[in-house]
Every structure is written in C-alpha cells, then in structure tokens.
C-alpha cells in the first residue's frame, strides 16, 4: 500500500509516490482540511457543516457532507489506491492516519523532541530538531482555504510555529550564534512586531554583537509600538533586559555552559521494582503493547488487566511498565487504589491526586482541596507531558475517573477485578486484557527461578504435579518455591507430599477468591510461635508500612528481637522489605497477605489480646510523636495530652528515629492518619484525639490540611460517641485552628466557643488558654480589637500560670499586633520587644522571627524606618535559615514597607514583588493582598499607573476573597483615586497600607 503524504503547513497538498491527489472544489478542500486538523479523531457532521457553510448550513447539509466525503474517498482511491483513510464513525467522520504522514503531526513530534533535548541540556541536538520542524513550513497553514473555522484552527498551528521559532532562537543565542541571528531576528520582528520574546532575543543578539545603541533603539521602538497599539508598557522581562543593557550587566554575556530551554521539572518514577523471577506472559505483554500504538492519538490510551486474586495482575502491570518506561520520559506514576481490601476503605481519588501532584512538582499549598479542581490541575500539569499512570487494585471506574489524564500523550494501565469495559470502551483507546493462569512450562520456570536451583529440572514429574497443585497461580507458585528455597535439603516430592496430605488445602488451592490462602497457610504454619504472633499482630495494624519498633510495641519485646522475628517473616515471603533511606528498614504487607494475617488474628487471638497489642502500638506512636513535637517546639507546648498510656521505646532508639523530628513525622504521616482512623473506629478515643492533636506539628508545618481535617473529624466523632469531653474540646480547638488557617473565621468561632465551654467544665486551664488565644485571632479578624485584646490578655495570664512559655511569647506578639491596630504603636513596641526576648530565650527561631516582624511594624508606625529595616533583615535571616516560607513572605512585605518608609522606593518595589510572589506560593491570600496594595502605592510613586491599577485590583479581589472589608474599602478608594487622576503623596499612601 502506498504511503500518502498530507501537507497542511502551507497550501493544502496531498500526494503519494510523487503523484498528486487533486481535490475538486472548495467544499472538498474545506472538509479535508477539517479532518486533517484533527487526525484520528472523529469530527462531527455538524462541525463540518459549520465550516463549509460559515455557520449557516442548509437543511440538506448532512446529505451534502456525505456526498462530499464519498467523493473524497473516490478521489483518493483513484489517485493512490488507498481506501481506508476516511472512516465513518458516529457522529461524523475521521481521517485515520495509520502509516500515512501528516506534516503538522511530524512538526509537533520534532518540536517535542527539540524541547526534550533542550530539557536535558543537549542544545545542539535540540536546535537540529527545531530546524527540522520549522523547515516543514511552506507558508501560512492551509493557505487558500477561506472557511473561518479552518482559518481559526490553522491560526493555532501558526502560533505554535512562532513559539517554536522563539525557542529555537533562544537556544541559538545560548550557543553563541548572536551574529548569525541578528538579521534573521530583525526580519522576524518586522513580520511579528508584537512578539515581546522575539524583541528580547533581537536586543540580546544586537548587544552581544557590539551594537548596544541598536539594542536600546529596538527597545524604544517596542515601547512606542506597544503604547500606540495596545496602550501598555513592555512586560517585566523586556524592561529588565533594557535595564541590564543600560547597566552593561555581566549577566548578558554568553553563559559558561549551554542553557536549557525548558526549566527542569520533577520526573516521578513511582514504579515498584519488577520481580526478578517474572516469567512468561509474552502474549499478554504484546497485547499491552497495543497501548503504545494509540499514543498521540485523539483518545487517551487505557489498558485494563483483570483476573482472579493471585493471578499476577500487579506483577504483569509493573513488568510491562518497566519495559516501556523509556517511552514516557516525563515520569511514571503508581498508586495502589485498595479497591478490594476487606479491612480498609478504597483509596480516595483526592488523596491519590494529592500525592501525584506533589510528585509532579506542585507545592502542597497550591493543591486545591476540591477533588474536581485537583483533577483539573492534574490534567493541566500533564498537558504536553508523556507520563505513564499505573492504577493498581482499582475498585470501579468512578474511583479512577478523576485520575485519568486529559491528553493522548499519556497512558493509563489499570488492574482490577472489574473489567470497567462499559465505562472505558468508546471514550478511550481501550485495550482490555483478562489474565488467566500461567502455562505449564511457565509455571515450572517460575518455580525454578524463585527456588534458585535445579531440583525441578531433575524431577519434571514432581514439578508438573506441584504446578498443578498450585493451579499455576503465580502467588501460590512463589510461596511454594520460597519454601523450597528456605529448605535446601527438601526435594520437590517432599513439598508435593505435604500438599497432597492437606485435602482441605487442595480444595483451597482452586481458582476462586480463596486461591492463595492455602499457600499462605502453609508458609504460616511452620513459623515459630513468636514469629506467627508477630505476623498476626502486624496484620491488624492499619498502617501501610512500618519499622521494627512497631512490632516491638505490639509484642512488648526488645526492638532487636522484634527485628529478628520480622526478618523471619521476610524469609518466609510473608513480608516485603522496603529501602532503608533513614537507616531503619521499613516493611510492608501485600494486601492479600495482610488480609490473611487478620484472619489468623481473629481465629487465634482473643479480643483482649488484640486490644492490648493495639494500645501498645498506638502508645508507641503517640510517645514518639510527643517527643518529636517537644524537639520541634523546645517543650511540651501548644498541645493538650489526654490519659492514654504511652509505650516508651529505648532512649537510643528514640534519638536515632528523631534525629530529624520533622522527617520522622513525614515518614510516619500515612501511619499516623491510619492509626487515628483505627483508634477512632475502635472507640479508643484518648489515643485517637491525642495522636491527632500532637501530629498537627506535621500537618500545619507541611500544609497537610486535608490530613489535619480528616484526623480531627474522626477523633471528634469518637470522642463524642464515647462521652470524652476533654477529647471533644481538644478536637474542636484543633479544627477551629484549622478553620482560622483556611480563613473561615465564623466556623472557627463556633467550634472554639464550644471548646472553651468544655475546657472550662473540665477545669483544663491550658486548653482554655489555647482557645482564648485563637478566639482573639477571630475577634481581630472581625474588627473587634477591644474584645481581641481582652481575650488575648486572659490567655496570657493562663499561659504564664501553667508555664507554657512558647504560647506566652506567641500571645505577646498577638497583643502587639492588636495594639498596633488599635492605634497604640508605643504599647505594640513594648509588647513585641518582650515577645522577641522571650522567643529568643526559648530558642524558637520561628517565634523569634514572627515577633521581630511585629516589632518592625511597630517601628514603622513610629516612622523609624531604619530600625524597622534592621529588624526585618534579622527576621529574614531567621526564616530563611529555618525554611519558613510563610514567615519569609511576611518579612519581605514588611521589609518592602520599611524601605519605602526610608524613601528607597526602587528597592521597595523589588522586595514587594518578591513578597507578592512568596505569599502566593504559601498560599496566604490576605498576606498576598497586603503585599499587592503596598506594591501598588510604590508604583503610584513611580508614575506606573497601569501597574498600580493592576496591583490595587489584585488586592481588592483578594481582600474580598478572605473577607476583610476594611482593607477591601482601602483598595477600592485607591482604585477610584487612580481613575480620577488624584495625586497622593507618599505619607498619605503610606498611612493607607498600615493597619
């Protein structure tokens, strides 16, 4: 069959083997153009009619389109003998490219190769790919096709060409080809005068070629053109380049090394290791390879592997994913969806999206709470990337639907007991695969590989019998072979005889949902009593992975002895070791093994034994969490503990685990949330709420707000159900604090008010003080400064009485802020100075930084800009040294105002821009608005009215979003004054941005 070449990067041109295909009439050319603009995708008849008749199709449009498509097929067949290019597919037609060529597709592929090479730092290779892509253009895309719809689609191709050229020019400049580029860029800029990036490239080429005056004139020309045509100034990048040229900045010289075109992005590699003993499945692997044929098509390729438990669905998925990983250079994502876990709920798509987005480089604070918004962000991040997504053990299409990318450049592979065919077929490039048992020879090969010797080769009859007894299920085969590997003195017939004697177990080794249980029982039965007990108790814990100290707590034994028992379980293939990145090996169950362990526990252990073991485990996590909190905060501050008994581990082990307390919290995050859920479910309220409250150290510092809420709500439900008023109060306080973080002060006030009553009934002074402090924050937000002051003083008295020095310093800083907003800067100065001294004495870097910023604000109110700047510089050192991003944003905003106060407005503008960027990343909308309104004022002083208007509008919208009407009014007044042309001096503006 001849290969047809379609060219649309210029006038429409179709040919094969040098023979042209001539289309008859404008309608044929319009329809062919529309189909070529969407290859391998169905274009509806309505869309084609809209293009042909410019939005006014006649009643006979459908018939006329059908006649026209039929004529097109006949023309192509008569010219080149090809029949299967134009395909009828409801609700329209599709151009099936197959092995044929389309220059627009090849253009995008070459451009993508160029970007990938640039991303990897291979600039010359990238230039070659870009040159190849740009050489495909023969003129404007689809030149001569006058249909508006075609012109609109073709304009997008032209925009892509311009983008590729600018990337190509940037690379050539980085390679030192500025002299060669000057004339070429001049012509490009004349043709496309509003492309600022091209202007910048030209300016840089002129400057590096010794033509500095021409570079400056290019900027002035761009400045005039943008003002005349659009009424705007050049963008920040072009302005910055202009300033650097004026200053002869050394940054404009050639880079020492080639510059990458695209910033390096996070490339996740989540795939678990592929089993070294993986065997066979050649036909199945070839079937999955069909997914690769659909890459870059219109529909997302989705593969589905289904089959009974133990048949090897996950092993096949992981093995294939490793084989094709190179086809997905932007990463591989993997998630166990826990769809068929009898003891744990299926994993929520929102939680998986959170992990995927973080792995793809999205900062935690920028991940939205709403699942639909997370899905939208996930698809946006994946736009243009080539990523493989493996979703293991999925429950339903509804569970995986939010995790499906929106681009055919990606690929998804799902393992499940549900085929999902009805949901996936039609909307996706669906490749279903039902996985059965291994072939006989594959089964024996698998047994040999796992056992690691030739016992199966010398006894083929015994090997065949053992394979049959295991029903050729991979998991059962692995377990049987592992027994032989652990017993080198056994023959194959020895193990066969053991299986033959177990008539009940032979029944259980059949292809049903209990197919794996007999093999597991065989491995379990011969364990020493202590190892078997460890297996059962570990299986009961609701944690995804764990270290040996957890087993020590469960059995109340020495951690080294616990590690020995756990290693016996590893040898018996009942546990899987994970990497020891922190010096402590972590282990995990496969899901079926965990279920089996829980069954054994229910059969062999009493309820009292299991409850006692669980309490020791919860007590161990709680003790470590409490110690980690103390090491972070310098004492047992800001938390309330309940009556739950702790299980303390040896001091040297604690020191080793908590060498980096926040890293320990991070490692145990999943375990903590699972244990809070388990303790709450089992009505162990005291453990649930204490662990939830202590772990706020992690949740707040690392912005795991969803975990904070989930743990708090579950623990609150348990405390309410079991009649635990102290636990209710503690969780209401914790959740109220979370509402403040989320700017929902009304909800916070309701929760905190109830918590205060409960703490008062319990006579819990520390709790009362914590709640009063947060109620003061709520009243401050509401604008009732007197009430805020009263509550803050009441909390301060209690904190001093109970000896919570950290909270005392925090409240002093809060009072300093309140006094400032009440109009008493002298009192604020005194309180903030005291707060700084207390924080410094405690060694709390974060507290000292916060209070130093408050001190700077008090100094600003007194007009002492120099001292305020000094305080901000000190605070900036503290927050940057501790990685406190929120604190850095606060400090930058205050530093910008201090510089403004001193008349150094250019420096102030630079710092305030940094503050705006930092607060947006945290994110903190109120702080972002404060930075924006201050920036706008400085821009007014610099006569940048357009920039100031944008900043004031940003501030106004953000203040409205967080519910700050007073600040919203200020920004509205500034916007109105700017529109009226009113002139404001620096002092008047400065007064407006101060509390």
């Amino acid at each position: 069959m001849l290969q047809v070449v379609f060219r649309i990067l210029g006038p429409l041109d179709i040919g094969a083997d040098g023979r042209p295909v001539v289309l008859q009439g404008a309608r044929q050319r319009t329809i062919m153009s529309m189909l070529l603009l969407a290859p391998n995708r169905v274009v509806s008849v309505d869309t084609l009619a809209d293009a042909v008749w410019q939005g006014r199709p006649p009643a006979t449009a459908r018939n006329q389109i059908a006649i026209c498509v039929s004529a097109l097929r006949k023309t192509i067949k008569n010219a080149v003998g090809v029949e299967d290019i134009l395909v009828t597919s409801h609700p329209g037609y599709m151009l099936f490219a197959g092995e044929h060529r389309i220059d627009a597709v090849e253009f995008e592929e070459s451009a993508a190769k160029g970007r990938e090479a640039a991303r990897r730092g291979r600039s010359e290779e990238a230039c070659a790919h870009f040159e190849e892509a740009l050489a495909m253009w023969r003129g404007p895309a689809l030149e001569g096709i006058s249909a508006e719809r075609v012109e609109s689609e073709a304009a997008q191709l032209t925009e892509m060409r311009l983008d590729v050229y600018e990337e190509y020019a940037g690379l050539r400049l980085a390679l030192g080809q500025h002299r060669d580029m000057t004339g070429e860029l001049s012509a490009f800029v004349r043709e496309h005068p509003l492309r600022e990036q091209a202007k910048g490239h030209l300016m840089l080429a002129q400057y590096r070629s010794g033509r500095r005056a021409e570079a400056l004139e290019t900027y002035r020309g761009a400045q005039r053109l943008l003002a005349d045509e659009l009424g705007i100034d050049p963008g920040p990048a072009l302005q910055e380049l202009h300033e650097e040229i004026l200053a002869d900045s050394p940054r404009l010289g050639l880079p020492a090394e080639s510059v990458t075109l695209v910033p390096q992005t996070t490339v996740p590699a989540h795939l678990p290791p592929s089993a070294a003993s993986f065997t066979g499945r050649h036909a199945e692997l070839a079937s999955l390879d069909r997914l690769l044929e659909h890459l870059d098509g219109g529909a997302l390729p989705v593969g589905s592997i289904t089959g009974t438990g133990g048949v090897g669905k996950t092993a096949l998925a992981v093995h294939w994913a490793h084989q094709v990983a190179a086809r997905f250079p932007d990463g591989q994502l993997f998630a166990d969806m826990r769809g068929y876990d009898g003891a744990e709920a299926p994993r929520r798509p929102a939680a998986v999206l959170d992990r995927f987005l973080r792995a793809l480089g999205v900062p935690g604070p920028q991940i939205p709470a709403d699942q639909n918004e997370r899905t939208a962000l996930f698809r946006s991040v994946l736009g243009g990337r080539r990523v493989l997504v493996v979703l293991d053990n999925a429950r339903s299409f509804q569970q995986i639907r939010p995790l499906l990318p929106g681009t055919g450049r990606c690929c998804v592979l799902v393992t499940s007991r549900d085929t999902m065919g009805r949901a996936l077929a039609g909307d996706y490039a669906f490749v279903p695969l039902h996985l059965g048992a291994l072939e006989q020879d594959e089964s024996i090969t698998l047994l040999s590989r796992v056992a690691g010797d030739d016992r199966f080769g010398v006894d083929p009859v015994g090997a065949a019998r053992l394979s049959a007894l295991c029903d050729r299920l991979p998991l059962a085969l692995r377990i049987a072979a592992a027994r032989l590997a652990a017993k080198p003195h056994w023959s194959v017939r020895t193990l066969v005889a053991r299986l033959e004697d177990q008539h009940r177990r032979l029944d259980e080794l059949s292809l049903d949902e209990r197919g794996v249980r007999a093999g597991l029982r065989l491995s379990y039965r011969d364990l020493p009593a202590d190892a078997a007990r460890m297996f059962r108790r570990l299986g009961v814990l609701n944690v995804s992975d764990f270290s040996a100290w957890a087993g020590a707590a469960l059995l109340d034994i020495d951690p080294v002895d616990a590690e020995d028992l756990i290693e016996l379980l590893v040898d018996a293939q009942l546990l899987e070791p994970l990497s020891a990145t922190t010096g402590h090996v972590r282990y995990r169950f496969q899901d079926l093994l965990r279920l089996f362990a829980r069954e054994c526990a229910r059969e062999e252990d009493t309820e009292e034994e299991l409850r006692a073991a669980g309490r020791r485990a919860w007590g161990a996590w709680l003790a470590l969490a409490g110690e980690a909190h103390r090491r972070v905060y310098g004492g047992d501050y800001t938390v309330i503990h309940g009556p739950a008994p702790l299980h303390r581990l040896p001091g040297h082990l604690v020191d080793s685990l908590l060498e980096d307390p926040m890293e320990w919290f991070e490692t145990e995050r999943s375990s903590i949330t699972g244990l809070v859920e388990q303790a709450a479910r089992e009505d162990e309220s005291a453990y649930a709420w204490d662990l939830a409250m202590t772990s706020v150290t992690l949740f707040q510092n690392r912005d795991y707000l969803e975990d904070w809420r989930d743990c708090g709500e579950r623990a609150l439900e348990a405390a309410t159900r079991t009649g635990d008023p102290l636990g209710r109060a503690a969780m209401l306080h914790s959740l109220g604090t979370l509402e403040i973080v989320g700017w929902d002060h009304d909800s916070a006030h309701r929760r905190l008010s109830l918590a205060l009553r409960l703490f008062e009934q319990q006579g819990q002074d520390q709790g009362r003080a914590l709640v009063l402090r947060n109620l003061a924050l709520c009243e401050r937000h509401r604008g009732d400064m007197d009430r805020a002051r009263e509550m803050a003083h009441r909390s301060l008295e209690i904190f001093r009485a109970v000896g919570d020095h950290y909270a005392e310093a925090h409240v002093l800083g809060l009072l300093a802020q309140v006094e400032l907003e009440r109009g008493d800067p002298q009192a604020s100065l005194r309180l903030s100075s005291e707060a700084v001294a207390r924080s410094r004495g405690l060694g709390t870097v974060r507290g000292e930084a916060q209070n130093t910023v408050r001190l700077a604000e008090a100094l600003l109110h007194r007009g002492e800009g120099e001292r305020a700047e000094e305080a901000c510089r000190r605070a900036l050192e503290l927050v940057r040294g501790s990685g406190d991003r929120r604190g850095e944003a606060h400090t930058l905003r205050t530093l910008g105002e201090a510089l403004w106060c001193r008349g150094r407005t250019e420096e102030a503008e630079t710092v305030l821009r940094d503050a705006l960027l930092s607060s947006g990343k945290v994110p903190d909308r109120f702080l972002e608005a404060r930075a924006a309104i201050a920036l706008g004022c400085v821009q007014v002083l610099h006569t940048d009215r357009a920039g100031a208007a944008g900043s004031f509008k940003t501030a106004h919208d953000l203040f409205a979003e967080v519910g700050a009407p007073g600040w919203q009014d200020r920004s509205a007044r500034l916007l109105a004054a700017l529109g009226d042309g009113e002139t404001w001096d620096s002092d008047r503006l400065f007064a407006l941005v101060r509390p």
Side-chain angles (χ1 to χ4, degrees):
M1 182 181 70
L2 290 176
Q3 186 182 59
V4 183
V5 178
F6 299 92
R7 299 201 294 171
I8 64 175
L9 302 180
L12 177 62
D13 180 81
I14 306 173
D17 196 24
R19 297 198 301 271
V21 178
V22 180
L23 304 185
Q24 302 299 321
R27 289 183 186 175
Q28 283 193 14
R29 295 171 64 80
T30 297
I31 290 174
M32 181 58 77
S33 297
M34 290 294 294
L35 295 174
L36 283 168
L37 285 166
N40 300 311
R41 286 181 288 170
V42 176
V43 181
S44 71
V45 173
D46 291 341
T47 300
L48 294 174
D50 180 75
V52 170
W53 286 282
Q54 307 288 341
R56 295 183 297 276
T60 59
R62 285 186 171 273
N63 287 337
Q64 293 191 53
I65 293 293
I67 292 169
C68 197
V69 171
S70 178
L72 279 170
R73 286 175 177 149
K74 185 176 180 179
T75 299
I76 295 173
K77 180 180 178 181
N78 291 339
V80 295
V82 177
E83 298 181 346
D84 60 349
I85 289 180
L86 300 184
V87 179
T88 301
S89 181
H90 181 77
Y93 301 94
M94 177 178 71
L95 188 144
F96 177 66
E99 298 300 321
H100 307 296
R101 296 172 54 194
I102 302 174
D103 61 352
V105 173
E106 294 177 349
F107 165 74
E108 291 188 45
E109 290 175 347
S110 294
K113 291 177 182 176
R115 292 188 176 108
E116 179 60 26
R119 184 182 294 117
R120 298 178 184 276
R122 300 196 292 266
S123 299
E124 292 183 356
E125 178 185 338
C127 283
H129 287 303
F130 284 143
E131 286 173 4
E132 180 183 0
L134 292 167
M136 298 177 191
W137 285 78
R138 300 169 291 113
L142 291 168
E143 186 178 14
I145 308 296
S146 59
E148 291 182 7
R149 190 134 190 175
V150 173
E151 290 174 345
S152 175
E153 297 285 343
Q156 296 182 31
L157 283 173
T158 300
E159 191 68 21
M160 291 171 58
R161 172 179 172 264
L162 299 181
D163 290 341
V164 168
Y165 178 78
E166 288 179 337
E167 295 175 36
Y168 168 63
L171 274 180
R172 290 185 63 186
L173 287 174
L175 290 170
Q177 299 175 17
H178 43 273
R179 296 187 185 278
D180 297 337
M181 290 295 296
T182 304
E184 187 177 312
L185 280 167
S186 296
F188 183 87
V189 165
R190 281 194 300 271
E191 187 177 354
H192 308 284
L194 298 179
R195 303 281 299 193
E196 289 196 41
Q197 186 173 16
K199 295 267 190 184
H201 287 337
L202 176 57
M203 290 168 61
L204 185 57
Q206 290 169 330
Y207 178 82
R208 286 182 177 171
S209 300
R211 295 153 66 177
R212 182 170 179 266
E214 291 182 30
L216 295 173
E217 180 54 37
T218 297
Y219 177 80
R220 287 192 291 270
Q223 194 175 38
R224 288 192 298 269
L225 179 66
L226 290 170
D228 293 343
E229 295 286 333
L230 304 176
I232 61 174
D233 291 328
L238 209 58
Q239 292 185 38
E240 183 179 349
L241 178 59
H242 176 242
E243 296 295 328
E244 290 181 332
I245 290 174
L246 286 172
D248 283 320
S249 171
R251 293 175 53 192
L252 299 181
L254 283 172
E257 300 177 359
S258 63
V259 179
T260 57
L261 179 66
V262 182
Q264 183 65 42
T265 56
T266 302
V267 179
H270 284 183
L271 296 177
S274 183
S277 58
F278 183 85
T279 302
R281 303 297 195 191
H282 304 296
E284 291 86 350
L285 289 167
S287 181
L288 291 175
D289 283 342
R290 289 163 46 205
L291 289 167
L292 304 177
E293 299 172 7
H294 298 288
L295 288 175
D296 296 321
L300 173 71
V302 180
S304 169
I305 305 176
T306 58
T308 188
V311 78
K313 299 185 294 293
T314 301
L316 175 62
V318 171
H319 187 79
W320 180 82
H322 277 288
Q323 281 191 339
V324 301
R327 297 288 298 272
F328 300 92
D330 296 313
Q332 306 88 43
L333 298 169
F334 181 93
D336 178 4
M337 304 304 294
R338 293 201 310 231
Y340 292 89
D341 189 318
E344 296 180 24
R347 194 178 297 277
R348 291 178 297 109
V352 178
L353 285 167
D354 178 89
R355 185 164 68 86
F356 280 0
L357 287 167
R358 291 173 187 270
L360 289 164
V362 179
Q366 294 181 18
I367 298 176
D370 180 75
Q371 178 176 294
N372 293 330
E373 293 179 7
R374 286 187 181 183
T375 296
L377 178 59
F378 178 62
R379 290 171 180 166
S380 297
V381 170
L382 289 183
R385 296 194 194 184
R386 196 181 291 281
V387 174
L388 174 63
V389 182
V390 181
L391 304 175
D392 186 41
N393 193 18
R395 180 74 182 184
S396 65
F397 176 70
Q398 287 70 29
Q399 187 189 24
I400 68 165
R401 186 176 187 178
L403 307 174
L404 299 180
T407 169
R409 291 179 60 80
C410 294
C411 178
V412 177
L413 183 57
V414 183
T415 73
S416 177
R417 296 181 188 179
D418 179 0
T419 62
M420 303 184 197
R422 284 178 295 180
L424 291 169
D427 292 334
Y428 302 89
F430 181 45
V431 176
L433 176 64
H434 179 77
L435 198 59
L438 290 171
E439 298 297 329
Q440 179 78 319
D441 58 341
E442 293 175 343
S443 298
I444 295 172
T445 300
L446 176 58
L447 288 166
S448 299
R449 287 180 177 176
V450 174
D453 55 36
D454 195 41
R455 277 176 285 181
F456 296 97
V458 299
D459 187 5
V461 175
R465 180 57 183 155
L466 181 59
S467 171
L469 287 170
C470 294
D471 218 355
R472 305 195 307 276
L473 289 175
L475 183 56
L477 291 165
R478 291 176 190 277
I479 294 169
R483 292 291 294 164
L484 287 173
K487 303 290 184 181
H489 52 284
W490 282 7
S491 68
V492 175
R493 297 293 178 101
T494 304
L495 184 55
V496 168
R498 293 169 70 92
L499 288 175
E500 295 279 14
D501 289 341
Q502 304 295 323
H503 299 294
R504 181 178 63 85
R505 299 179 193 276
L506 288 174
D507 292 338
E508 292 175 348
L509 275 174
S510 57
L511 272 172
D512 57 29
E513 292 183 358
R514 295 165 57 86
V516 182
R517 188 175 294 112
L520 296 177
R521 182 72 65 181
L522 180 61
S523 297
Y524 172 75
R525 186 188 63 181
D526 290 337
L527 287 174
D530 286 345
R533 188 179 303 111
M534 177 69 78
F535 176 70
R536 298 195 302 271
R537 303 286 168 82
L538 285 170
V540 172
L541 278 182
N542 189 28
V543 297
S544 57
D545 53 71
F546 48 85
S547 291
W549 59 262
L554 284 166
L555 267 59
D556 198 14
I557 60 176
D558 184 85
V560 175
D561 295 334
E563 186 174 36
D564 290 341
L565 292 177
I566 289 174
E567 286 294 333
L568 284 177
L569 300 179
V570 173
D571 294 340
Q573 305 298 310
L574 293 173
L575 277 182
E576 181 179 3
L578 302 176
S579 60
T581 55
T582 60
H584 295 273
V585 180
R586 297 187 71 80
Y587 306 88
R588 69 167 185 174
F589 282 100
Q590 292 183 354
D591 288 342
L592 290 172
L593 289 164
R594 187 196 305 277
L595 291 174
F596 178 72
R598 289 172 177 171
E599 287 183 359
C600 293
R602 286 194 294 269
E603 292 170 2
E604 302 179 40
D605 296 317
T606 67
E607 181 66 27
E608 291 76 17
E609 288 172 333
L610 294 177
R611 183 60 65 100
R615 286 172 176 165
R616 287 193 297 272
W618 294 324
W621 261 281
L622 182 56
L624 285 168
E627 180 59 27
H629 173 91
R630 283 186 285 276
R631 296 187 184 203
V632 170
Y633 281 87
D636 206 1
Y637 302 135
T638 74
V639 293
I640 302 159
H641 293 301
L646 304 180
H647 184 87
R648 300 195 181 278
L649 299 171
H652 65 88
L653 177 59
V654 172
D655 289 339
S656 175
L657 290 168
L658 301 183
E659 183 176 355
D660 184 336
M662 288 307 301
E663 186 61 31
W664 179 86
F665 265 125
E666 189 72 60
T667 300
E668 298 295 338
R669 173 192 165 203
S670 175
S671 296
I672 288 170
T673 56
L675 291 170
V676 169
E677 176 190 355
Q678 184 179 17
R681 185 175 66 244
E682 297 182 13
D683 286 341
E684 292 284 356
S685 169
Y687 285 108
W689 70 257
D690 202 338
L691 187 55
M693 168 162 270
T694 308
S695 299
V696 170
T697 309
L698 167 69
F699 302 149
Q700 186 168 21
N701 286 359
R702 296 289 172 89
D703 284 298
Y704 293 129
L705 305 186
E706 187 172 319
D707 289 342
W708 186 352
R709 185 174 300 279
D710 285 348
C711 289
E713 295 286 5
R714 291 179 186 276
L716 177 60
E717 291 169 3
T720 303
R721 190 169 56 247
T722 59
D724 182 350
L726 182 59
R728 283 187 66 205
M731 290 299 93
L732 286 166
H733 156 71
S734 180
L735 290 167
T737 307
L738 177 59
E739 304 291 12
I740 292 175
V741 172
W743 286 91
D744 189 349
H745 289 81
D746 291 338
S747 295
H749 196 276
R750 287 193 296 272
R751 289 185 184 270
L752 293 169
S753 297
L754 179 54
L756 182 61
R757 288 197 296 274
L758 289 169
F759 278 133
E760 287 172 345
Q761 292 169 7
Q762 297 294 305
Q764 224 294 340
D765 290 339
Q766 173 80 351
R768 286 175 53 221
L770 288 170
V771 173
L772 285 167
R773 179 194 65 183
N774 283 353
L775 282 171
L777 286 170
C778 290
E779 297 298 348
R780 175 187 165 227
H781 177 77
R782 290 176 165 187
D784 190 342
M785 295 303 161
D786 291 337
R787 181 74 171 153
R789 182 174 183 270
E790 174 199 347
M791 288 186 164
H793 273 295
R794 287 170 59 192
S795 70
L796 182 62
E797 292 173 3
I798 300 173
F799 284 134
R800 284 173 169 166
V802 301
D804 190 336
H805 304 304
Y806 183 94
E808 178 186 354
H810 186 272
V811 174
L812 285 169
L814 171 60
L815 277 168
Q817 192 70 37
V818 170
E819 294 293 359
L820 194 64
E821 294 174 16
R822 291 179 74 246
D824 190 348
Q826 184 61 38
S828 177
L829 185 63
R830 175 178 53 79
L831 287 163
S832 55
S833 297
E834 184 180 356
V836 170
R838 292 295 176 90
S839 299
R840 189 174 297 158
L842 290 170
T844 59
V845 172
R846 187 176 184 182
E848 182 183 350
Q850 289 174 345
N851 291 316
T852 302
V853 171
R854 292 192 176 101
L855 174 63
E857 290 185 327
L859 291 167
L860 282 175
H861 265 275
R862 292 165 54 91
E864 298 185 45
E866 183 176 358
R867 290 181 62 195
E869 181 186 351
E870 291 174 0
C872 288
R873 299 287 186 194
R874 165 63 180 161
L876 203 57
E877 291 178 9
L878 294 171
V879 295
R880 285 178 171 167
S882 63
D884 182 359
R885 291 176 296 176
R886 187 181 299 272
E888 182 176 1
H890 274 284
T891 307
L892 286 170
R893 193 264 306 164
T894 311
L895 175 59
E897 293 179 4
L899 292 167
W900 173 14
C901 180
R902 300 192 65 190
R904 289 152 55 186
T905 54
E906 290 188 1
E907 291 179 67
E909 181 171 351
T910 299
V911 172
L912 288 169
R913 288 188 186 278
D914 289 343
L916 190 65
L917 183 64
S918 297
S919 55
K921 289 179 179 179
V922 172
D924 187 323
R925 298 296 179 237
F926 181 76
L927 178 56
E928 190 176 355
R930 288 285 306 275
I933 197 171
L935 175 61
C937 291
V938 173
Q939 288 170 316
V940 168
L941 297 176
H942 291 163
T943 66
D944 180 5
R945 300 179 66 83
S951 296
F952 291 151
K953 181 63 168 62
T954 296
H956 180 272
D957 293 345
L958 289 170
F959 284 134
E961 181 182 334
V962 301
W967 284 99
Q968 189 180 350
D969 289 344
R970 295 188 197 189
S971 53
R973 287 166 54 197
L974 286 165
L975 269 172
L978 197 63
D980 294 340
E982 186 176 345
T983 302
W984 290 26
D985 61 24
S986 181
D987 291 342
R988 187 180 176 195
L989 287 170
F990 196 76
L992 271 174
V993 302
R994 304 305 307 147

